[in-house]
Amino acid sequence: MEENELIKRLSGVITKHYLPELVALGETGTLSAATLHRLCYTQARGPVAFRAAWVLEYIATRAPQRFLPVFTEFMTRLPGQQNPSCQRHFTKILMVITGPKAPPAYQEAYAAADREQLVETVFGWLINPQTPVAVQVNCMDILFNLTAEFGWIGEELQNQVEFLLRDGSAALQSRGKKIIGKLKKLKTAG
């Protein structure tokens, strides 16, 4: 599919049939993950970027082999993603990539990635007061997934989560308490 046609489809008016249309975009093998990824950084077209990120997440979580060609660029450009709507979908992708049940292809690609940049970016999103709660709670899970690799994350993550819990929403309270519980189990097990 040509990029202009894709932009036109992603710019469409939302109707009850729009979500199935986005799913169909994600399932078509002819749609380039690289093109979708590039559109996620289109500042002038906020809805296009958000919808491109949604379809990219769909591909990344359901068809890792289709996402792999853009994996390195995704990780490299991550710090430049300033659109909170895109950050939400990007953090969902990162939860899969860093998760204990990550597909072997992701594990291999992740091993070659700049993981310190990933940690820095995700912590930055977590502590930024302008970051939406949905992104913050995903950041907590990602950072928890990285505690085995970066031992220092556990204590810093717990401190940040405790700080956020003071005035946090119900969603932040729920996820934050779960993360603190997991961190405490890690401490007692170690």
Side-chain angles (χ1 to χ4, degrees):
M1 175 181 306
E2 285 188 33
E3 189 168 327
N4 288 337
E5 175 62 25
L6 178 59
I7 290 170
K8 183 179 174 183
R9 288 185 69 183
L10 292 173
S11 300
V13 177
I14 297 179
T15 66
K16 66 180 181 179
H17 303 290
Y18 193 74
L19 185 59
E21 289 175 23
L22 283 180
V23 169
L25 278 175
E27 290 178 346
T28 179
T30 60
L31 185 59
S32 162
T35 300
L36 284 168
H37 184 247
R38 188 171 46 258
L39 290 175
C40 293
Y41 289 90
T42 307
Q43 300 300 329
R45 295 185 178 108
V48 170
F50 163 72
R51 293 170 186 164
W54 189 94
V55 177
L56 188 65
E57 175 199 341
Y58 185 90
I59 290 169
T61 57
R62 289 170 179 79
Q65 294 303 325
R66 289 187 50 216
F67 182 76
L68 278 175
V70 76
F71 188 99
T72 301
E73 185 178 355
F74 175 83
M75 296 296 281
T76 302
R77 289 193 69 187
L78 190 65
Q81 183 52 266
Q82 301 301 314
N83 181 328
S85 296
C86 292
Q87 287 175 349
R88 181 176 186 175
H89 295 291
F90 280 28
T91 54
K92 287 182 177 183
I93 294 169
L94 290 168
M95 288 168 60
V96 172
I97 291 169
T98 63
K101 296 179 181 177
Y106 283 169
Q107 292 175 21
E108 187 176 315
Y110 173 76
D114 183 351
R115 296 178 307 282
E116 290 182 12
Q117 175 182 287
L118 171 64
V119 171
E120 184 178 314
T121 300
V122 175
F123 256 121
W125 292 349
L126 175 65
I127 65 174
N128 182 343
Q130 302 304 313
T131 300
V133 170
V135 176
Q136 287 179 312
V137 296
N138 291 345
C139 288
M140 290 178 196
D141 281 330
I142 295 162
L143 292 166
F144 178 79
N145 290 342
L146 300 175
T147 55
E149 183 177 358
F150 298 93
W152 61 268
I153 288 178
E155 186 174 336
E156 186 61 29
L157 178 58
Q158 184 168 341
N159 291 337
Q160 290 301 324
V161 171
E162 287 172 351
F163 176 79
L164 291 169
L165 287 177
R166 293 187 302 164
D167 299 317
S169 67
L172 200 133
Q173 293 282 334
S174 175
R175 186 86 62 97
K177 288 175 183 176
K178 287 179 185 175
I179 292 294
I180 287 176
K182 289 179 179 181
L183 289 167
K184 288 181 179 180
K185 283 183 184 178
L186 278 181
K187 282 183 186 177
T188 57

